[in-house]
Amino acid sequence: KQASFFLNAPEASERPMRVDGVAPFTLTLDTTQLADGPHTLTVVAKLTQSSALRVVANSEFLVANAASQPENRAPVASAGSAQTVTLPASASLAGSASDDGKPSGSLSYRWRKAAGPGTVSFGSPEALKTSASFSAAGSYTLELSVSDGALSSSATVGVSVQAASATPSRWQPRPGLTWFWQLSGTIDTSRAVDVYDIDYETPASVVAALHAKGKKVIAYVPVGDWEDYRPDSNDFPEEALCGSIDGWPERYIDIRHPKAVSLIKARIALAASKGFDGIEGDVVDLHLSDTGCSPRISEAEMTAYLKDLTAYAHSLGLAYFAKNVTENAADWSQFTDGVVAEEAYLYGEAAGYMPYIRANKPVFAVEYGSRRPSDAQCSDANTRGYALYGTDLNLTGKVYKTCW
């Protein structure tokens, strides 16, 4: 059997190729020498030596050689204009990017610190528009990288971070203040107390409304544990996280990890920017707990961490309150501004908080449950100078009984 093949292209009416063989057969064409555009492959054959040639197939195809295609160009990134901020304020970053839509039409973004003396925490490092908080004053270069999946480019912006001109005056509370603690639900701003303790994510408008009523406002800040619902939860590296906390959907953090410390300080700075008056740092018994951190966190490391956070809060004009842990009250009462004490009477620890009173610092105490505290517990708390009341474990704003 014989078959002859003719390829008709725009620049040449015939390009014959002859193949002798038995059908079926496979023909592979090298199209690199053809111009881009439509072409027709015509197949003619004769079945016997004496028979005439006849067209047995016409196949149209399009040549689009990669070399002649418009090439993918790297996206163009812009990190915005240089700016100056004064601690503890954050920088507002407004990046932008343009692209040719190749290869897929989608872009990814990433902010990072390229240079600078301290740690930078980005609100959303994979968003064009985000915020950046700084742990120290100085000149920083921040870089925005943009990728289309194949090619990438970057741009930088300079941020000058100024130290506060002077350490702002801070609230220095004394025993005798009444208080109200609510961490879930809409904040009840009607309570007739001196001090509110609410979550640091609470809007600044609520803090301002409480200030307008003459209240001092403490920000509840988790400083020793990780919760998956917090806005910065994805910023904690896995190596900064330890074991789970029994009874809670949380994990301990390794307070020795620099990134973890910078993220906690960013929370404190956020509270300062909202106008809070103080910080209640929660989960500070890591040296007494089976955290799963390796090596174990020592008492010295826990105390050093709290001293660092207290000094940082003070530098921003905030008071800093310890949490529970009567084992360290004698020491911690010397550098913090008071303590929040949970169920001191249930656990027989009421006397353990007296170092704070002797240091002329308040003890804000709660007992959980609708029938607590008892009259005898109230009497004892008042004698000691504690501000004690009863509420629910979920801290929804219930007040069962006050001792003042």
Side-chain angles (χ1 to χ4, degrees):
K1 301 294 190 290
Q2 291 182 336
S4 297
F5 304 93
F6 298 89
L7 177 62
N8 295 327
E11 67 275 15
S13 59
E14 288 188 336
R15 291 187 174 182
M17 299 173 287
R18 184 184 180 99
V19 176
D20 294 329
V22 178
F25 54 85
T26 300
L27 177 65
T28 301
L29 298 177
D30 180 3
T31 64
T32 58
Q33 302 303 313
L34 298 179
D36 288 355
H39 298 270
T40 301
L41 174 66
T42 301
V43 180
V44 296
K46 59 180 181 177
L47 300 180
T48 65
Q49 191 69 26
S50 59
S51 63
L53 289 171
R54 60 176 179 169
V55 176
V56 295
N58 280 301
S59 179
E60 295 183 352
F61 61 95
L62 181 67
V63 174
N65 288 310
S68 63
Q69 295 302 300
E71 64 176 313
N72 176 31
R73 299 184 182 277
V76 177
S78 172
S81 303
Q83 55 186 293
T84 299
V85 298
T86 300
L87 290 175
S90 300
S92 295
L93 303 176
S96 61
S98 59
D99 187 47
D100 58 9
K102 298 181 178 63
S104 64
S106 63
L107 298 175
S108 61
Y109 317 102
R110 187 74 184 179
W111 287 95
R112 73 176 187 93
K113 184 191 85 170
T119 301
V120 180
S121 297
F122 296 97
S124 299
E126 296 180 351
L128 280 174
K129 300 182 185 300
T130 187
S131 61
S133 299
F134 304 88
S135 64
S139 296
Y140 291 80
T141 301
L142 307 183
E143 180 182 79
L144 172 64
S145 297
V146 182
S147 173
D148 63 11
L151 300 175
S152 62
S153 66
S154 63
T156 60
V157 61
V159 180
S160 177
V161 179
Q162 307 293 323
S165 57
T167 301
S169 60
R170 61 180 173 84
W171 176 40
Q172 298 184 51
R174 297 292 178 250
L177 298 171
T178 57
W179 78 306
F180 174 71
W181 195 17
Q182 183 178 355
L183 298 184
S184 59
T186 301
I187 302 300
D188 179 358
T189 60
S190 67
R191 295 292 177 176
V193 294
D194 301 312
V195 179
Y196 268 69
D197 189 340
I198 57 180
D199 194 87
Y200 78 99
E201 291 184 44
T202 302
S205 58
V206 176
V207 179
L210 290 170
H211 281 162
K213 294 184 176 185
K215 316 298 184 184
K216 292 294 186 181
V217 190
I218 299 171
Y220 169 89
V221 178
V223 301
D225 65 323
W226 174 90
E227 300 157 312
D228 62 4
Y229 63 86
R230 295 292 182 179
D232 58 1
S233 62
N234 290 334
D235 297 331
F236 283 83
E238 180 61 28
E239 60 269 21
L241 302 178
C242 304
S244 298
I245 301 178
D246 289 342
W248 301 92
E250 305 168 13
R251 293 173 66 181
Y252 292 103
I253 66 170
D254 192 334
I255 58 173
R256 299 162 297 197
H257 195 287
K259 180 64 173 179
V261 175
S262 69
L263 289 169
I264 296 304
K265 287 185 175 180
R267 292 177 175 182
I268 294 174
L270 176 61
S273 71
K274 292 181 176 183
F276 280 93
D277 301 292
I279 301 294
E280 175 211 336
D282 196 17
V283 189
V284 292
D285 59 349
L286 279 64
H287 58 303
L288 302 173
S289 305
D290 183 11
T291 64
C293 297
S294 182
R296 289 180 63 94
I297 294 172
S298 69
E299 179 178 355
E301 288 170 331
M302 190 73 245
T303 297
Y305 176 60
L306 286 190
K307 283 185 176 180
D308 184 32
L309 295 187
T310 300
Y312 183 65
H314 287 175
S315 74
L316 303 180
L318 299 171
Y320 188 93
F321 295 84
K323 183 72 170 287
N324 301 326
V325 193
T326 56
E327 293 87 343
N328 295 94
D331 185 9
W332 295 0
S333 62
Q334 299 306 302
F335 59 84
T336 62
D337 297 293
V339 65
V340 172
E342 295 175 289
E343 304 203 292
Y345 288 93
L346 175 67
Y347 295 110
E349 297 176 337
Y353 294 103
M354 284 303 295
Y356 292 94
I357 298 297
R358 288 193 286 269
N360 201 25
K361 297 171 182 179
V363 175
F364 295 126
V366 293
E367 295 289 317
Y368 297 126
S370 59
R371 298 182 179 181
R372 299 168 61 194
S374 67
D375 290 344
Q377 291 167 349
C378 279
S379 177
D380 183 81
N382 291 336
T383 299
R384 295 182 184 278
Y386 299 169
L388 174 64
Y389 82 100
T391 187
D392 65 308
L393 182 59
N394 292 323
L395 297 171
T396 61
K398 290 183 173 65
V399 176
Y400 296 127
K401 182 179 182 179
T402 63
C403 295
W404 49 80

